């Protein structure tokens, strides 16, 4: 596949909005799509997400959940336009002011951190107002077949650990037994996992995708999937992301 360039991003935005682009800059933090900030001659700045070789389905998921979450008041970046059948499938979004939480967290005071946390919790409460799903885990829509394949939260956690184990083995950087040491905890919490309902929550609102401006939540980006199960999953992911940014001694 041809890797989308800054020129492709400018061309897509110009065709979609009928305005001339001045410059495009690719965001360095994306792990999935090719995401660019594009400045227009009229002063506007927009974000264009271009699908990669195998990410068109995820891009479509973002459009699907946008239509369901924004009416509930979840503060997602506004979608300006989308074309999933274009030569390079794309979604255009407003450019929220600010930066990822992980980039500014150490500069926030305690009151600002509490305000951002409260705003993210509010977004999760609003997301939970959607119906439960027929299964558990990450989904591109309520009709996603993956939901039917996972009928318990225990299965989701087990698959997540198995995926982590495989990635650690592939990278060969750290000891894979770090994952194996969690197996006894899975057995310990089986009763708790069995009580979890397939409640919708935003799993990727961690130190990334949470945009902070002047100490307040500006909005949330990159909601290609919604997860169904235990919202504490996101709390754990956020905690580990913060520990990664500021390593501490951890004992399991």
């Amino acid at each position: 596949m041809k890797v989308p360039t800054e020129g492709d991003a400018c061309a897509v935005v110009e065709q979609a909005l009928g305005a001339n682009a001045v410059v495009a800059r690719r965001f360095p933090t994306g792990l999935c799509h090719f995401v660019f900030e594009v400045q227009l001659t009229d002063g506007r700045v927009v974000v264009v997400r271009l699908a990669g070789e195998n990410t068109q389905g995820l891009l479509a998921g973002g459009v699907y959940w946008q239509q369901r979450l924004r009416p509930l008041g979840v503060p997602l970046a506004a979608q300006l336009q989308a074309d999933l059948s274009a030569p390079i499938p794309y979604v255009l979004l407003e450019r929220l002011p600010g930066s990822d939480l992980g980039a500014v967290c150490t500069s926030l005071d305690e009151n600002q951190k509490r305000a951002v946390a409260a705003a993210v919790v509010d977004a999760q409460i609003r997301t939970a107002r959607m119906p439960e799903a027929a299964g558990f885990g990450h989904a591109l829509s309520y009709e996603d077949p993956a939901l039917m394949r996972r009928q318990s939260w225990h299965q989701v956690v087990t698959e997540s650990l198995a995926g982590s184990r495989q990635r650690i083995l592939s990278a060969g950087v750290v000891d894979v037994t770090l994952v194996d040491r969690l197996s006894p905890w899975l057995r310990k919490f089986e009763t708790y996992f069995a009580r979890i309902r397939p409640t919708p929550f935003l799993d990727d609102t961690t130190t990334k995708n949470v945009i902070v401006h002047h100490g307040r939540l500006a909005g949330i980006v990159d909601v290609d999937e919604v997860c169904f199960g235990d919202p504490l999953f996101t709390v754990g992911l956020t905690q580990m992301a913060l520990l990664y940014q500021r390593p501490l001694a951890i004992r399991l």
Side-chain angles (χ1 to χ4, degrees), residues 108-155:
L108 302 178
D109 62 35
E110 288 302 311
N111 288 333
Q112 291 172 326
K113 290 177 182 178
R114 290 179 181 276
V116 172
V120 173
V121 169
D122 180 72
Q124 296 286 19
I125 291 172
R126 293 173 184 274
T127 299
R129 292 172 185 164
M130 294 194 300
E132 293 184 353
F136 292 80
H138 301 85
L140 300 173
S141 71
Y142 275 100
E143 295 74 38
D144 193 330
L147 285 171
M148 299 304 297
R149 184 174 57 82
R150 298 183 294 255
Q151 288 300 304
S152 72
W153 184 243
H154 184 278
Q155 185 178 353

mmCIF file of all heavy atoms in Angstrom, residues 108-155:
data_model
loop_
_atom_site.group_PDB
_atom_site.id
_atom_site.type_symbol
_atom_site.label_atom_id
_atom_site.label_comp_id
_atom_site.label_asym_id
_atom_site.label_seq_id
_atom_site.Cartn_x
_atom_site.Cartn_y
_atom_site.Cartn_z
ATOM 1 N N LEU A 108 -0.031 20.042 35.165
ATOM 2 C CA LEU A 108 -1.328 20.361 35.754
ATOM 3 C C LEU A 108 -1.228 20.352 37.274
ATOM 4 O O LEU A 108 -0.539 19.518 37.866
ATOM 5 C CB LEU A 108 -2.381 19.348 35.315
ATOM 6 C CG LEU A 108 -2.622 19.193 33.812
ATOM 7 C CD1 LEU A 108 -3.670 18.099 33.563
ATOM 8 C CD2 LEU A 108 -3.078 20.509 33.194
ATOM 9 N N ASP A 109 -1.943 21.288 37.919
ATOM 10 C CA ASP A 109 -2.010 21.242 39.374
ATOM 11 C C ASP A 109 -3.116 20.270 39.792
ATOM 12 O O ASP A 109 -3.846 19.737 38.954
ATOM 13 C CB ASP A 109 -2.216 22.636 39.970
ATOM 14 C CG ASP A 109 -3.524 23.302 39.544
ATOM 15 O OD1 ASP A 109 -4.536 22.589 39.374
ATOM 16 O OD2 ASP A 109 -3.541 24.542 39.410
ATOM 17 N N GLU A 110 -3.260 20.045 41.095
ATOM 18 C CA GLU A 110 -4.200 19.035 41.574
ATOM 19 C C GLU A 110 -5.645 19.375 41.204
ATOM 20 O O GLU A 110 -6.428 18.491 40.848
ATOM 21 C CB GLU A 110 -4.068 18.872 43.095
ATOM 22 C CG GLU A 110 -2.797 18.178 43.520
ATOM 23 C CD GLU A 110 -2.670 16.787 42.891
ATOM 24 O OE1 GLU A 110 -3.635 16.005 42.953
ATOM 25 O OE2 GLU A 110 -1.594 16.491 42.331
ATOM 26 N N ASN A 111 -6.022 20.629 41.284
ATOM 27 C CA ASN A 111 -7.387 21.022 40.932
ATOM 28 C C ASN A 111 -7.667 20.776 39.450
ATOM 29 O O ASN A 111 -8.764 20.340 39.079
ATOM 30 C CB ASN A 111 -7.626 22.493 41.277
ATOM 31 C CG ASN A 111 -7.715 22.739 42.768
ATOM 32 O OD1 ASN A 111 -8.088 21.848 43.535
ATOM 33 N ND2 ASN A 111 -7.367 23.944 43.198
ATOM 34 N N GLN A 112 -6.685 21.072 38.615
ATOM 35 C CA GLN A 112 -6.864 20.837 37.181
ATOM 36 C C GLN A 112 -6.973 19.341 36.880
ATOM 37 O O GLN A 112 -7.793 18.924 36.065
ATOM 38 C CB GLN A 112 -5.709 21.463 36.410
ATOM 39 C CG GLN A 112 -5.718 22.986 36.420
ATOM 40 C CD GLN A 112 -4.464 23.582 35.815
ATOM 41 O OE1 GLN A 112 -3.371 23.025 35.929
ATOM 42 N NE2 GLN A 112 -4.602 24.739 35.166
ATOM 43 N N LYS A 113 -6.139 18.535 37.554
ATOM 44 C CA LYS A 113 -6.221 17.094 37.351
ATOM 45 C C LYS A 113 -7.590 16.566 37.752
ATOM 46 O O LYS A 113 -8.180 15.723 37.058
ATOM 47 C CB LYS A 113 -5.126 16.382 38.145
ATOM 48 C CG LYS A 113 -3.725 16.611 37.610
ATOM 49 C CD LYS A 113 -2.684 15.936 38.491
ATOM 50 C CE LYS A 113 -1.274 16.200 37.989
ATOM 51 N NZ LYS A 113 -0.250 15.584 38.866
ATOM 52 N N ARG A 114 -8.111 17.059 38.865
ATOM 53 C CA ARG A 114 -9.428 16.623 39.322
ATOM 54 C C ARG A 114 -10.516 17.059 38.336
ATOM 55 O O ARG A 114 -11.471 16.316 38.089
ATOM 56 C CB ARG A 114 -9.715 17.183 40.719
ATOM 57 C CG ARG A 114 -8.861 16.549 41.812
ATOM 58 C CD ARG A 114 -9.178 17.151 43.185
ATOM 59 N NE ARG A 114 -8.337 16.567 44.210
ATOM 60 C CZ ARG A 114 -8.588 15.423 44.831
ATOM 61 N NH1 ARG A 114 -9.699 14.747 44.530
ATOM 62 N NH2 ARG A 114 -7.776 14.961 45.754
ATOM 63 N N ALA A 115 -10.376 18.253 37.774
ATOM 64 C CA ALA A 115 -11.368 18.744 36.822
ATOM 65 C C ALA A 115 -11.369 17.899 35.550
ATOM 66 O O ALA A 115 -12.434 17.560 35.015
ATOM 67 C CB ALA A 115 -11.090 20.212 36.488
ATOM 68 N N VAL A 116 -10.182 17.552 35.055
ATOM 69 C CA VAL A 116 -10.094 16.712 33.862
ATOM 70 C C VAL A 116 -10.665 15.332 34.157
ATOM 71 O O VAL A 116 -11.442 14.770 33.363
ATOM 72 C CB VAL A 116 -8.634 16.608 33.374
ATOM 73 C CG1 VAL A 116 -8.520 15.574 32.260
ATOM 74 C CG2 VAL A 116 -8.140 17.961 32.895
ATOM 75 N N ALA A 117 -10.296 14.767 35.310
ATOM 76 C CA ALA A 117 -10.806 13.447 35.679
ATOM 77 C C ALA A 117 -12.323 13.454 35.781
ATOM 78 O O ALA A 117 -13.003 12.528 35.299
ATOM 79 C CB ALA A 117 -10.187 12.994 36.995
ATOM 80 N N ALA A 118 -12.883 14.492 36.380
ATOM 81 C CA ALA A 118 -14.339 14.590 36.523
ATOM 82 C C ALA A 118 -15.018 14.674 35.159
ATOM 83 O O ALA A 118 -16.083 14.081 34.941
ATOM 84 C CB ALA A 118 -14.696 15.805 37.376
ATOM 85 N N ALA A 119 -14.408 15.407 34.231
ATOM 86 C CA ALA A 119 -14.985 15.537 32.893
ATOM 87 C C ALA A 119 -14.950 14.201 32.142
ATOM 88 O O ALA A 119 -15.889 13.867 31.415
ATOM 89 C CB ALA A 119 -14.242 16.611 32.103
ATOM 90 N N VAL A 120 -13.868 13.444 32.315
ATOM 91 C CA VAL A 120 -13.777 12.128 31.674
ATOM 92 C C VAL A 120 -14.799 11.183 32.285
ATOM 93 O O VAL A 120 -15.463 10.411 31.570
ATOM 94 C CB VAL A 120 -12.353 11.554 31.800
ATOM 95 C CG1 VAL A 120 -12.309 10.122 31.287
ATOM 96 C CG2 VAL A 120 -11.365 12.421 31.023
ATOM 97 N N VAL A 121 -14.966 11.229 33.610
ATOM 98 C CA VAL A 121 -15.976 10.396 34.271
ATOM 99 C C VAL A 121 -17.365 10.741 33.752
ATOM 100 O O VAL A 121 -18.189 9.855 33.492
ATOM 101 C CB VAL A 121 -15.909 10.576 35.803
ATOM 102 C CG1 VAL A 121 -17.124 9.941 36.477
ATOM 103 C CG2 VAL A 121 -14.632 9.961 36.351
ATOM 104 N N ASP A 122 -17.639 12.026 33.574
ATOM 105 C CA ASP A 122 -18.938 12.446 33.040
ATOM 106 C C ASP A 122 -19.157 11.877 31.635
ATOM 107 O O ASP A 122 -20.262 11.420 31.308
ATOM 108 C CB ASP A 122 -19.029 13.975 33.005
ATOM 109 C CG ASP A 122 -20.360 14.463 32.457
ATOM 110 O OD1 ASP A 122 -21.371 14.334 33.175
ATOM 111 O OD2 ASP A 122 -20.390 14.941 31.305
ATOM 112 N N ALA A 123 -18.094 11.884 30.807
ATOM 113 C CA ALA A 123 -18.200 11.307 29.464
ATOM 114 C C ALA A 123 -18.499 9.806 29.538
ATOM 115 O O ALA A 123 -19.281 9.276 28.740
ATOM 116 C CB ALA A 123 -16.913 11.557 28.680
ATOM 117 N N GLN A 124 -17.902 9.125 30.514
ATOM 118 C CA GLN A 124 -18.162 7.694 30.685
ATOM 119 C C GLN A 124 -19.594 7.446 31.153
ATOM 120 O O GLN A 124 -20.251 6.498 30.694
ATOM 121 C CB GLN A 124 -17.164 7.096 31.684
ATOM 122 C CG GLN A 124 -15.710 7.131 31.236
ATOM 123 C CD GLN A 124 -15.404 6.100 30.148
ATOM 124 O OE1 GLN A 124 -16.285 5.582 29.466
ATOM 125 N NE2 GLN A 124 -14.119 5.803 29.980
ATOM 126 N N ILE A 125 -20.097 8.284 32.037
ATOM 127 C CA ILE A 125 -21.481 8.140 32.505
ATOM 128 C C ILE A 125 -22.449 8.321 31.345
ATOM 129 O O ILE A 125 -23.437 7.579 31.203
ATOM 130 C CB ILE A 125 -21.769 9.162 33.630
ATOM 131 C CG1 ILE A 125 -20.977 8.792 34.890
ATOM 132 C CG2 ILE A 125 -23.262 9.231 33.933
ATOM 133 C CD1 ILE A 125 -21.052 9.834 35.979
ATOM 134 N N ARG A 126 -22.174 9.299 30.484
ATOM 135 C CA ARG A 126 -23.032 9.530 29.324
ATOM 136 C C ARG A 126 -22.957 8.355 28.347
ATOM 137 O O ARG A 126 -23.978 7.943 27.775
ATOM 138 C CB ARG A 126 -22.631 10.832 28.630
ATOM 139 C CG ARG A 126 -22.909 12.074 29.469
ATOM 140 C CD ARG A 126 -22.364 13.347 28.846
ATOM 141 N NE ARG A 126 -22.562 14.489 29.712
ATOM 142 C CZ ARG A 126 -23.668 15.233 29.758
ATOM 143 N NH1 ARG A 126 -24.683 14.939 28.938
ATOM 144 N NH2 ARG A 126 -23.778 16.250 30.579
ATOM 145 N N THR A 127 -21.759 7.812 28.165
ATOM 146 C CA THR A 127 -21.598 6.650 27.280
ATOM 147 C C THR A 127 -22.384 5.463 27.810
ATOM 148 O O THR A 127 -22.995 4.705 27.030
ATOM 149 C CB THR A 127 -20.111 6.281 27.164
ATOM 150 O OG1 THR A 127 -19.395 7.390 26.610
ATOM 151 C CG2 THR A 127 -19.906 5.055 26.283
ATOM 152 N N ALA A 128 -22.410 5.282 29.116
ATOM 153 C CA ALA A 128 -23.116 4.154 29.731
ATOM 154 C C ALA A 128 -24.624 4.245 29.580
ATOM 155 O O ALA A 128 -25.337 3.271 29.889
ATOM 156 C CB ALA A 128 -22.741 4.067 31.210
ATOM 157 N N ARG A 129 -25.132 5.379 29.098
ATOM 158 C CA ARG A 129 -26.569 5.508 28.856
ATOM 159 C C ARG A 129 -27.002 4.773 27.595
ATOM 160 O O ARG A 129 -28.198 4.576 27.371
ATOM 161 C CB ARG A 129 -26.954 6.983 28.765
ATOM 162 C CG ARG A 129 -26.826 7.729 30.092
ATOM 163 C CD ARG A 129 -27.037 9.215 29.928
ATOM 164 N NE ARG A 129 -26.803 9.923 31.193
ATOM 165 C CZ ARG A 129 -26.622 11.227 31.294
ATOM 166 N NH1 ARG A 129 -26.657 11.997 30.199
ATOM 167 N NH2 ARG A 129 -26.419 11.786 32.474
ATOM 168 N N MET A 130 -26.046 4.393 26.775
ATOM 169 C CA MET A 130 -26.403 3.571 25.613
ATOM 170 C C MET A 130 -26.812 2.182 26.090
ATOM 171 O O MET A 130 -26.481 1.765 27.208
ATOM 172 C CB MET A 130 -25.221 3.481 24.635
ATOM 173 C CG MET A 130 -24.839 4.776 23.969
ATOM 174 S SD MET A 130 -23.722 4.543 22.546
ATOM 175 C CE MET A 130 -22.316 3.736 23.315
ATOM 176 N N PRO A 131 -27.496 1.416 25.256
ATOM 177 C CA PRO A 131 -27.917 0.062 25.673
ATOM 178 C C PRO A 131 -26.725 -0.859 25.882
ATOM 179 O O PRO A 131 -25.639 -0.653 25.320
ATOM 180 C CB PRO A 131 -28.764 -0.418 24.485
ATOM 181 C CG PRO A 131 -29.158 0.810 23.744
ATOM 182 C CD PRO A 131 -28.034 1.786 23.932
ATOM 183 N N GLU A 132 -26.931 -1.876 26.699
ATOM 184 C CA GLU A 132 -25.941 -2.934 26.806
ATOM 185 C C GLU A 132 -25.872 -3.690 25.482
ATOM 186 O O GLU A 132 -26.783 -3.598 24.654
ATOM 187 C CB GLU A 132 -26.310 -3.900 27.938
ATOM 188 C CG GLU A 132 -26.221 -3.278 29.319
ATOM 189 C CD GLU A 132 -26.501 -4.300 30.419
ATOM 190 O OE1 GLU A 132 -26.890 -5.447 30.088
ATOM 191 O OE2 GLU A 132 -26.319 -3.954 31.606
ATOM 192 N N ALA A 133 -24.787 -4.435 25.289
ATOM 193 C CA ALA A 133 -24.599 -5.199 24.057
ATOM 194 C C ALA A 133 -24.940 -6.669 24.297
ATOM 195 O O ALA A 133 -25.190 -7.100 25.424
ATOM 196 C CB ALA A 133 -23.154 -5.069 23.576
ATOM 197 N N ALA A 134 -24.923 -7.438 23.208
ATOM 198 C CA ALA A 134 -25.209 -8.869 23.293
ATOM 199 C C ALA A 134 -23.985 -9.668 23.726
ATOM 200 O O ALA A 134 -24.075 -10.879 23.927
ATOM 201 C CB ALA A 134 -25.707 -9.384 21.944
ATOM 202 N N GLY A 135 -22.848 -8.987 23.843
ATOM 203 C CA GLY A 135 -21.622 -9.647 24.262
ATOM 204 C C GLY A 135 -20.671 -8.630 24.866
ATOM 205 O O GLY A 135 -21.072 -7.498 25.175
ATOM 206 N N PHE A 136 -19.412 -9.015 24.997
ATOM 207 C CA PHE A 136 -18.435 -8.209 25.709
ATOM 208 C C PHE A 136 -17.259 -7.834 24.800
ATOM 209 O O PHE A 136 -17.011 -8.464 23.778
ATOM 210 C CB PHE A 136 -17.905 -8.980 26.914
ATOM 211 C CG PHE A 136 -18.914 -9.194 28.004
ATOM 212 C CD1 PHE A 136 -19.855 -10.215 27.902
ATOM 213 C CD2 PHE A 136 -18.934 -8.379 29.128
ATOM 214 C CE1 PHE A 136 -20.786 -10.424 28.914
ATOM 215 C CE2 PHE A 136 -19.863 -8.585 30.143
ATOM 216 C CZ PHE A 136 -20.795 -9.607 30.034
ATOM 217 N N GLY A 137 -16.534 -6.808 25.243
ATOM 218 C CA GLY A 137 -15.307 -6.428 24.569
ATOM 219 C C GLY A 137 -15.477 -5.291 23.590
ATOM 220 O O GLY A 137 -16.508 -4.612 23.543
ATOM 221 N N HIS A 138 -14.431 -5.070 22.777
ATOM 222 C CA HIS A 138 -14.395 -3.952 21.837
ATOM 223 C C HIS A 138 -15.278 -4.232 20.632
ATOM 224 O O HIS A 138 -15.317 -5.355 20.127
ATOM 225 C CB HIS A 138 -12.962 -3.703 21.367
ATOM 226 C CG HIS A 138 -12.028 -3.406 22.493
ATOM 227 N ND1 HIS A 138 -11.409 -4.383 23.223
ATOM 228 C CD2 HIS A 138 -11.603 -2.216 23.016
ATOM 229 C CE1 HIS A 138 -10.645 -3.830 24.154
ATOM 230 N NE2 HIS A 138 -10.747 -2.515 24.042
ATOM 231 N N ALA A 139 -15.958 -3.182 20.170
ATOM 232 C CA ALA A 139 -16.870 -3.363 19.043
ATOM 233 C C ALA A 139 -16.892 -2.123 18.163
ATOM 234 O O ALA A 139 -16.829 -0.991 18.655
ATOM 235 C CB ALA A 139 -18.282 -3.669 19.537
ATOM 236 N N LEU A 140 -16.999 -2.351 16.858
ATOM 237 C CA LEU A 140 -17.125 -1.262 15.890
ATOM 238 C C LEU A 140 -18.572 -0.793 15.769
ATOM 239 O O LEU A 140 -18.838 0.280 15.244
ATOM 240 C CB LEU A 140 -16.623 -1.729 14.515
ATOM 241 C CG LEU A 140 -15.157 -2.169 14.456
ATOM 242 C CD1 LEU A 140 -14.851 -2.771 13.094
ATOM 243 C CD2 LEU A 140 -14.240 -0.999 14.746
ATOM 244 N N SER A 141 -19.499 -1.616 16.251
ATOM 245 C CA SER A 141 -20.928 -1.298 16.232
ATOM 246 C C SER A 141 -21.642 -2.317 17.108
ATOM 247 O O SER A 141 -21.038 -3.293 17.568
ATOM 248 C CB SER A 141 -21.477 -1.356 14.803
ATOM 249 O OG SER A 141 -21.531 -2.705 14.348
ATOM 250 N N TYR A 142 -22.932 -2.119 17.304
ATOM 251 C CA TYR A 142 -23.706 -3.106 18.050
ATOM 252 C C TYR A 142 -23.867 -4.400 17.256
ATOM 253 O O TYR A 142 -24.170 -5.446 17.831
ATOM 254 C CB TYR A 142 -25.084 -2.544 18.402
ATOM 255 C CG TYR A 142 -25.091 -1.716 19.663
ATOM 256 C CD1 TYR A 142 -25.071 -0.329 19.606
ATOM 257 C CD2 TYR A 142 -25.116 -2.323 20.912
ATOM 258 C CE1 TYR A 142 -25.080 0.444 20.765
ATOM 259 C CE2 TYR A 142 -25.120 -1.567 22.071
ATOM 260 C CZ TYR A 142 -25.104 -0.187 21.999
ATOM 261 O OH TYR A 142 -25.093 0.568 23.159
ATOM 262 N N GLU A 143 -23.641 -4.331 15.958
ATOM 263 C CA GLU A 143 -23.773 -5.514 15.116
ATOM 264 C C GLU A 143 -22.437 -6.221 14.894
ATOM 265 O O GLU A 143 -22.370 -7.203 14.145
ATOM 266 C CB GLU A 143 -24.354 -5.122 13.749
ATOM 267 C CG GLU A 143 -25.783 -4.587 13.797
ATOM 268 C CD GLU A 143 -25.867 -3.170 14.364
ATOM 269 O OE1 GLU A 143 -24.960 -2.355 14.061
ATOM 270 O OE2 GLU A 143 -26.823 -2.898 15.111
ATOM 271 N N ASP A 144 -21.391 -5.771 15.533
ATOM 272 C CA ASP A 144 -20.061 -6.357 15.352
ATOM 273 C C ASP A 144 -20.071 -7.829 15.784
ATOM 274 O O ASP A 144 -20.407 -8.146 16.932
ATOM 275 C CB ASP A 144 -19.045 -5.580 16.197
ATOM 276 C CG ASP A 144 -17.602 -5.908 15.840
ATOM 277 O OD1 ASP A 144 -17.337 -7.042 15.418
ATOM 278 O OD2 ASP A 144 -16.740 -5.019 15.992
ATOM 279 N N PRO A 145 -19.724 -8.761 14.882
ATOM 280 C CA PRO A 145 -19.717 -10.189 15.238
ATOM 281 C C PRO A 145 -18.807 -10.522 16.403
ATOM 282 O O PRO A 145 -19.017 -11.531 17.087
ATOM 283 C CB PRO A 145 -19.231 -10.866 13.944
ATOM 284 C CG PRO A 145 -19.517 -9.891 12.855
ATOM 285 C CD PRO A 145 -19.354 -8.541 13.479
ATOM 286 N N ALA A 146 -17.791 -9.698 16.644
ATOM 287 C CA ALA A 146 -16.868 -9.971 17.748
ATOM 288 C C ALA A 146 -17.587 -9.985 19.088
ATOM 289 O O ALA A 146 -17.166 -10.690 20.022
ATOM 290 C CB ALA A 146 -15.743 -8.936 17.766
ATOM 291 N N LEU A 147 -18.674 -9.222 19.215
ATOM 292 C CA LEU A 147 -19.418 -9.198 20.464
ATOM 293 C C LEU A 147 -20.010 -10.558 20.792
ATOM 294 O O LEU A 147 -20.012 -10.997 21.941
ATOM 295 C CB LEU A 147 -20.523 -8.145 20.400
ATOM 296 C CG LEU A 147 -20.097 -6.685 20.518
ATOM 297 C CD1 LEU A 147 -21.263 -5.764 20.213
ATOM 298 C CD2 LEU A 147 -19.540 -6.399 21.910
ATOM 299 N N MET A 148 -20.538 -11.243 19.791
ATOM 300 C CA MET A 148 -21.158 -12.543 20.020
ATOM 301 C C MET A 148 -20.123 -13.603 20.373
ATOM 302 O O MET A 148 -20.452 -14.623 20.993
ATOM 303 C CB MET A 148 -21.940 -12.963 18.777
ATOM 304 C CG MET A 148 -23.058 -12.013 18.395
ATOM 305 S SD MET A 148 -24.224 -11.763 19.759
ATOM 306 C CE MET A 148 -24.866 -13.426 19.942
ATOM 307 N N ARG A 149 -18.881 -13.363 20.007
ATOM 308 C CA ARG A 149 -17.827 -14.346 20.270
ATOM 309 C C ARG A 149 -17.362 -14.292 21.713
ATOM 310 O O ARG A 149 -16.792 -15.261 22.223
ATOM 311 C CB ARG A 149 -16.651 -14.077 19.316
ATOM 312 C CG ARG A 149 -15.523 -15.087 19.400
ATOM 313 C CD ARG A 149 -14.470 -14.828 18.337
ATOM 314 N NE ARG A 149 -13.907 -13.494 18.417
ATOM 315 C CZ ARG A 149 -12.934 -13.147 19.253
ATOM 316 N NH1 ARG A 149 -12.433 -14.028 20.095
ATOM 317 N NH2 ARG A 149 -12.456 -11.915 19.249
ATOM 318 N N ARG A 150 -17.603 -13.171 22.385
ATOM 319 C CA ARG A 150 -17.137 -13.009 23.762
ATOM 320 C C ARG A 150 -18.338 -12.851 24.687
ATOM 321 O O ARG A 150 -18.996 -11.812 24.680
ATOM 322 C CB ARG A 150 -16.207 -11.794 23.862
ATOM 323 C CG ARG A 150 -14.939 -11.916 23.023
ATOM 324 C CD ARG A 150 -14.045 -10.711 23.220
ATOM 325 N NE ARG A 150 -14.643 -9.490 22.701
ATOM 326 C CZ ARG A 150 -14.281 -8.890 21.565
ATOM 327 N NH1 ARG A 150 -13.324 -9.403 20.826
ATOM 328 N NH2 ARG A 150 -14.875 -7.781 21.169
ATOM 329 N N GLN A 151 -18.612 -13.877 25.451
ATOM 330 C CA GLN A 151 -19.813 -13.896 26.276
ATOM 331 C C GLN A 151 -19.541 -13.692 27.764
ATOM 332 O O GLN A 151 -20.410 -13.943 28.595
ATOM 333 C CB GLN A 151 -20.565 -15.212 26.047
ATOM 334 C CG GLN A 151 -21.249 -15.290 24.689
ATOM 335 C CD GLN A 151 -22.284 -14.186 24.495
ATOM 336 O OE1 GLN A 151 -23.213 -14.031 25.277
ATOM 337 N NE2 GLN A 151 -22.093 -13.376 23.444
ATOM 338 N N SER A 152 -18.336 -13.261 28.099
ATOM 339 C CA SER A 152 -18.031 -12.940 29.492
ATOM 340 C C SER A 152 -16.892 -11.927 29.547
ATOM 341 O O SER A 152 -16.071 -11.859 28.632
ATOM 342 C CB SER A 152 -17.637 -14.192 30.277
ATOM 343 O OG SER A 152 -16.344 -14.647 29.897
ATOM 344 N N TRP A 153 -16.864 -11.150 30.620
ATOM 345 C CA TRP A 153 -15.769 -10.201 30.800
ATOM 346 C C TRP A 153 -14.466 -10.930 31.094
ATOM 347 O O TRP A 153 -13.389 -10.480 30.708
ATOM 348 C CB TRP A 153 -16.108 -9.218 31.910
ATOM 349 C CG TRP A 153 -15.072 -8.156 32.089
ATOM 350 C CD1 TRP A 153 -14.298 -7.928 33.174
ATOM 351 C CD2 TRP A 153 -14.677 -7.171 31.115
ATOM 352 N NE1 TRP A 153 -13.457 -6.868 32.952
ATOM 353 C CE2 TRP A 153 -13.672 -6.377 31.693
ATOM 354 C CE3 TRP A 153 -15.098 -6.880 29.814
ATOM 355 C CZ2 TRP A 153 -13.065 -5.317 31.022
ATOM 356 C CZ3 TRP A 153 -14.495 -5.820 29.135
ATOM 357 C CH2 TRP A 153 -13.491 -5.065 29.734
ATOM 358 N N HIS A 154 -14.560 -12.071 31.759
ATOM 359 C CA HIS A 154 -13.375 -12.886 32.020
ATOM 360 C C HIS A 154 -12.675 -13.240 30.711
ATOM 361 O O HIS A 154 -11.441 -13.212 30.621
ATOM 362 C CB HIS A 154 -13.773 -14.164 32.767
ATOM 363 C CG HIS A 154 -12.618 -15.021 33.176
ATOM 364 N ND1 HIS A 154 -12.007 -15.905 32.311
ATOM 365 C CD2 HIS A 154 -11.954 -15.123 34.355
ATOM 366 C CE1 HIS A 154 -11.018 -16.525 32.934
ATOM 367 N NE2 HIS A 154 -10.961 -16.067 34.171
ATOM 368 N N GLN A 155 -13.452 -13.543 29.682
ATOM 369 C CA GLN A 155 -12.878 -13.885 28.379
ATOM 370 C C GLN A 155 -12.139 -12.693 27.779
ATOM 371 O O GLN A 155 -11.054 -12.849 27.192
ATOM 372 C CB GLN A 155 -13.979 -14.350 27.432
ATOM 373 C CG GLN A 155 -13.480 -14.843 26.078
ATOM 374 C CD GLN A 155 -14.607 -15.343 25.189
ATOM 375 O OE1 GLN A 155 -15.761 -15.440 25.625
ATOM 376 N NE2 GLN A 155 -14.279 -15.655 23.947
#
